[in-house]
Amino acid sequence: MVADEASPFETSQMLATFLASTPLLSESWRLCTTVASTAPWGFVTEQSGVVVYVAFPDVEMTCGSESSWTNLVPLNSIGDVPLFPSHRNKENNEPVMVHAGMLNLFSSFFKPFQNQMLAMMGNPNTKSIVITGHSIGGATASLCALWLLSYFQHISFSESMSVLCITFGSPLLGNGSFSRAILKQRWGGNFCHVVSKHDIMPRLLFAPITPYTTQLNFLLQFWQLSMTNPSFGKLAVQISDQQKEDLFNFVMSYLHAAATQDEGSAPILFHPFGSYFFVSEEGAVCMDDSMAVIKMMHFMFESGSPACSIEDHLKYGDYVKQLSLQFLNQKNSMPGKVPDSSYEAGLELALHSSGLGNQESAIEPARECLKMTRRTGPSPTMNAAILAVTLSKVVPYRAEIEWYKAWCDQQTDQMGYYDLFKRRRSTSKMAMKVNMNRHKLARFWNNVIDMLERNELPHDVAVREKWVYASLFYKLLVEPLDIAEYYAKGMHTTRGHYIPHGRERRYEIFDRWQKDRMVTAEENNERSNYASLTQDSCFWARVEEARDWLSSVRCESDTSKEAKLWDNIERFEKYAMELIDNKEVSQDVLAKNSSYSLWVEDLRELRELRAKVKRIPHNFNPFVDGEVIP
């Protein structure tokens, strides 16, 4: 098949070719060298046509103490702009965290950068913003680009203005949640990290710094010299060859563990994010798969030496110049044997461009690393398109359930949708059909969730309007039937009530999807009519719990337990009335013989009885001369 024959390796190398053939890399690096010499404690802005370049220097971080130099701190917002709110809504989710020192450094640049960007937004001649930085300056550039992307999203900025962050030899910045949150926002393509073959700085944070590390002094010295000296080259002569070797071996041991995922090894604290542009003397190759990036970092670094691992941090200017010349004079043929297919051709081209094609020990591991980027089967985007077609095929099942609900609402027994399904006869063909449709829809949505968790769908499916609304409508329509089935079969007597013990995981996931979506102004308008579907899909489960409380309070002799039951009853009553007043319930809730209406009537009668009991004096004897006083 053509889809199987297409080579992602050729694509990644062509992407590297395209990027190197534009002025983006050369202009970004030129500005990085300019800011290092002219504004070591500020940033430089320069406009070239419709593109604005902003460059940040490599300066010292303010971390507070040596022990905090690799601390991770939560990143919830920048200024008044919230970051990744959907990620925070997820239960049991690792918070988005970034390097404490780099965040502190970014804070020192933020206000002037923010003012500069706000001023540029009104300039019709600015169509693109390229934010760049070398070494620690690259981390600052990444955070600035992240703020700008978040700000545009926060204000719904409609102007056509693109944001691209290009870093050179930047250290890792955040944890796995940080990396995944950027993917989910579809911002991975806005970050391009240029990493040379042997540069230690992008790999340094794979090695933890702790008071128990024997190489701690060398690592701290490395950080101090790299951050306090804008001319990073002084480092090469300020530490001994033995210290360089110890540092190289120490970082290599942790990088090897991260790349091979050895059992029992320390967890990876910092993760790559965005696209990585690996450069070597032979060319360049692009990658965006996190694990493949880690492996490629390992294979390239392993082929180097302690001396070049430090010196390579200074050679980005040479690489950029060399790449431009190489791609201007690129050969039309590849050395060696002619590949049998475009897949093999792409693989060999990417391997050659990585600079590992001539190193016997690294060829096979690097080839396997590159193969990781090849997807087996359709891409996530293609899967999403196929799934959209499948969704259209299950719509009739949903429509039949909608028709059944409308039919229930018209019945003369006035029981409503929930209670009629709960009390349905086993011989009812209509109810049997609805029940079958309920199971078919459950299988479809469980499959959607499974595909998303296996990374077979785009990371942003959970925030796409089409899927959020489709899952919401399904939940509001079908979950009342699941609740009815649960209580009709008496499962609450053996397992407990539905919400804590019987609710399917898909509904909990859809709740989070709903919280993640942006609420429009139209949705905030007050309703003039009752909703077609009750907006709390668990409403009937709450009614069942309230019925249980009402039954229990009638025979409860313990005053403290009785008070707690009444508190639960009154809180539910208030909640239900708010839904009704806001017209957020369907009319079947208010049907004369629905479980809710009957509960309201039972509650009224119980209150009247309690009121009568309270009016009777404690010393009153209802028997006088053998007769009962009415």
Side-chain angles (χ1 to χ4, degrees):
M1 292 177 63
V2 175
D4 294 331
E5 181 67 11
S7 171
F9 312 120
E10 186 178 8
T11 303
S12 68
Q13 200 273 342
M14 289 173 62
L15 179 59
T17 302
F18 170 75
L19 185 58
S21 66
T22 71
L24 288 171
L25 287 180
S26 57
E27 285 297 296
S28 295
W29 179 253
R30 180 184 63 80
L31 216 58
C32 284
T33 58
T34 300
V35 72
S37 58
T38 61
W41 296 100
F43 61 90
V44 170
T45 303
E46 184 178 295
Q47 182 139 4
S48 176
V50 296
V51 181
V52 171
Y53 289 87
V54 184
F56 289 89
D58 177 18
V59 297
E60 181 180 4
M61 293 189 300
T62 304
C63 300
S65 66
E66 291 180 355
S67 63
S68 68
W69 285 0
T70 52
N71 273 5
L72 285 160
V73 294
L75 183 68
N76 296 324
S77 63
I78 299 179
D80 296 329
V81 179
L83 296 178
F84 313 125
S86 63
H87 200 84
R88 295 197 301 275
N89 284 335
K90 293 187 175 181
E91 295 176 5
N92 303 319
N93 206 22
E94 180 189 24
V96 172
M97 303 183 82
V98 295
H99 188 285
M102 296 175 198
L103 184 60
N104 286 339
L105 178 61
F106 161 75
S107 299
S108 66
F109 288 101
F110 176 61
K111 268 300 177 185
F113 171 77
Q114 181 187 41
N115 295 334
Q116 186 98 22
M117 291 301 102
L118 293 177
M120 283 182 183
M121 285 177 62
N123 185 352
N125 297 322
T126 301
K127 299 299 181 183
S128 300
I129 298 175
V130 177
I131 306 173
T132 186
H134 176 226
S135 194
I136 303 297
T140 306
S142 294
L143 287 169
C144 286
L146 179 60
W147 171 79
L148 195 57
L149 289 166
S150 301
Y151 181 72
F152 284 168
Q153 184 185 71
H154 183 64
I155 64 171
S156 302
F157 188 58
S158 59
E159 297 295 327
S160 178
M161 185 179 292
S162 62
V163 178
L164 176 64
C165 177
I166 300 177
T167 71
F168 298 90
S170 173
L172 298 175
L173 180 58
N175 63 352
S177 283
F178 177 74
S179 177
R180 290 188 292 273
I182 287 177
L183 272 177
K184 185 174 179 180
Q185 294 292 336
R186 290 190 285 179
W187 290 341
N190 296 88
F191 296 88
C192 175
H193 305 290
V194 183
V195 174
S196 65
K197 190 173 179 180
H198 303 129
D199 184 4
I200 196 173
M201 179 62 87
R203 295 146 168 111
L204 187 63
L205 286 178
F206 284 112
I209 299 179
T210 69
Y212 309 103
T213 303
T214 56
Q215 286 83 2
L216 175 63
N217 292 334
F218 301 139
L219 284 170
L220 295 184
Q221 185 179 22
F222 177 81
W223 275 100
Q224 287 173 321
L225 291 170
S226 66
M227 292 183 290
T228 57
N229 293 290
S231 56
F232 184 91
K234 293 181 181 180
L235 176 62
V237 297
Q238 291 189 42
I239 62 176
S240 67
D241 291 341
Q242 184 60 50
Q243 288 174 324
K244 294 177 188 176
E245 184 174 353
D246 288 340
L247 174 61
F248 177 85
N249 291 333
F250 180 69
V251 173
M252 173 57 70
S253 66
Y254 281 93
L255 185 55
H256 174 80
T260 57
Q261 295 182 310
D262 287 346
E263 290 187 11
S265 59
I268 304 174
L269 297 180
F270 293 87
H271 287 249
F273 69 95
S275 299
Y276 273 72
F277 188 85
F278 289 101
V279 294
S280 68
E281 294 84 354
E282 288 78 14
V285 63
C286 285
M287 287 184 171
D288 59 5
D289 179 83
S290 179
M291 198 61 223
V293 166
I294 294 173
K295 287 182 177 290
M296 186 58 72
M297 281 189 172
H298 171 236
F299 296 136
M300 286 185 158
F301 193 63
E302 192 176 38
S303 66
S305 65
C308 67
S309 69
I310 292 177
E311 294 165 356
D312 219 36
H313 191 68
L314 295 172
K315 295 175 63 177
Y316 285 98
D318 297 336
Y319 284 122
V320 169
K321 183 178 179 181
Q322 189 174 348
L323 282 171
S324 299
L325 292 174
Q326 280 178 343
F327 291 125
L328 284 173
N329 302 286
Q330 191 173 29
K331 296 180 181 179
N332 294 323
S333 61
M334 286 188 55
K337 179 184 175 182
V338 177
D340 296 329
S341 66
S342 66
Y343 171 83
E344 291 296 333
L347 176 57
E348 293 305 318
L349 186 62
L351 187 63
H352 176 76
S353 297
S354 70
L356 297 172
N358 297 322
Q359 300 173 27
E360 291 297 329
S361 62
I363 288 177
E364 284 308 314
R367 183 179 278 113
E368 290 303 313
C369 172
L370 288 166
K371 286 181 179 179
M372 287 179 61
T373 64
R374 186 182 190 231
R375 296 186 182 97
T376 56
S379 69
T381 302
M382 181 61 71
N383 280 333
I386 295 171
L387 207 56
V389 175
T390 310
L391 174 62
S392 67
K393 292 180 179 179
V394 301
V395 165
Y397 304 144
R398 193 181 71 186
E400 288 180 356
I401 297 177
E402 288 181 77
W403 181 87
Y404 174 75
K405 181 182 183 303
W407 177 84
C408 291
D409 291 342
Q410 295 171 2
Q411 299 309 297
T412 55
D413 53 17
Q414 299 184 52
M415 293 175 63
Y417 176 52
Y418 171 77
D419 286 283
L420 276 176
F421 187 77
K422 180 182 175 183
R423 303 181 189 185
R424 70 188 186 279
R425 297 189 184 94
S426 59
T427 56
S428 170
K429 291 184 178 180
M430 184 188 302
M432 288 174 61
K433 181 70 171 177
V434 167
N435 198 41
M436 288 176 58
N437 290 348
R438 180 174 69 91
H439 287 293
K440 289 176 182 178
L441 289 172
R443 284 196 295 270
F444 169 79
W445 284 107
N446 284 341
N447 182 53
V448 171
I449 292 167
D450 290 343
M451 291 180 69
L452 187 60
E453 292 179 346
R454 293 194 302 263
N455 295 319
E456 294 175 4
L457 294 174
H459 293 272
D460 65 335
V461 159
V463 294
R464 291 185 182 180
E465 189 173 90
K466 174 187 180 71
W467 291 100
V468 172
Y469 279 102
S471 63
L472 172 64
F473 190 84
Y474 160 74
K475 182 183 70 169
L476 298 182
L477 178 68
V478 177
E479 189 168 14
L481 302 183
D482 287 4
I483 297 168
E485 183 79 351
Y486 189 84
Y487 284 94
K489 290 184 174 181
M491 296 172 70
H492 62 293
T493 59
T494 56
R495 296 172 56 181
H497 281 293
Y498 174 83
I499 295 176
H501 301 292
R503 198 177 190 216
E504 294 288 346
R505 190 170 70 97
R506 61 179 174 273
Y507 295 126
E508 296 173 354
I509 291 173
F510 295 155
D511 284 346
R512 295 197 293 267
W513 288 14
Q514 177 67 8
K515 289 178 183 177
D516 292 350
R517 75 188 179 97
M518 300 294 290
V519 180
T520 64
E522 182 180 354
E523 291 173 307
N524 284 326
N525 291 339
E526 293 184 359
R527 295 177 181 273
S528 56
N529 297 309
Y530 287 109
S532 58
L533 296 168
T534 300
Q535 297 302 289
D536 178 3
S537 62
C538 287
F539 178 80
W540 292 110
R542 302 186 203 283
V543 170
E544 296 288 358
E545 287 189 70
R547 292 178 65 189
D548 192 28
W549 296 329
L550 204 58
S551 297
S552 299
V553 80
R554 293 177 186 274
C555 55
E556 184 57 63
S557 57
D558 188 314
T559 55
S560 61
K561 291 181 179 180
E562 182 186 20
K564 185 175 181 180
L565 287 169
W566 274 111
D567 182 60
N568 291 338
I569 291 169
E570 289 168 357
R571 279 192 288 109
F572 170 72
E573 180 186 33
K574 180 181 178 182
Y575 170 74
M577 289 307 301
E578 286 178 354
L579 288 181
I580 293 169
D581 291 344
N582 294 330
K583 292 185 168 56
E584 292 181 353
V585 297
S586 174
Q587 287 186 340
D588 63 306
V589 170
L590 303 176
K592 181 179 179 181
N593 295 314
S594 73
S595 292
Y596 173 73
S597 296
L598 295 177
W599 178 84
V600 171
E601 182 62 23
D602 287 346
L603 178 61
R604 183 187 62 78
E605 291 177 358
L606 182 59
R607 279 180 172 153
E608 289 178 355
L609 180 61
R610 290 186 77 205
K612 288 181 180 179
V613 171
K614 287 181 179 180
R615 289 197 299 269
I616 299 174
H618 292 292
N619 57 355
F620 176 71
N621 185 355
F623 295 94
V624 178
D625 293 333
E627 295 184 1
V628 177
I629 303 299

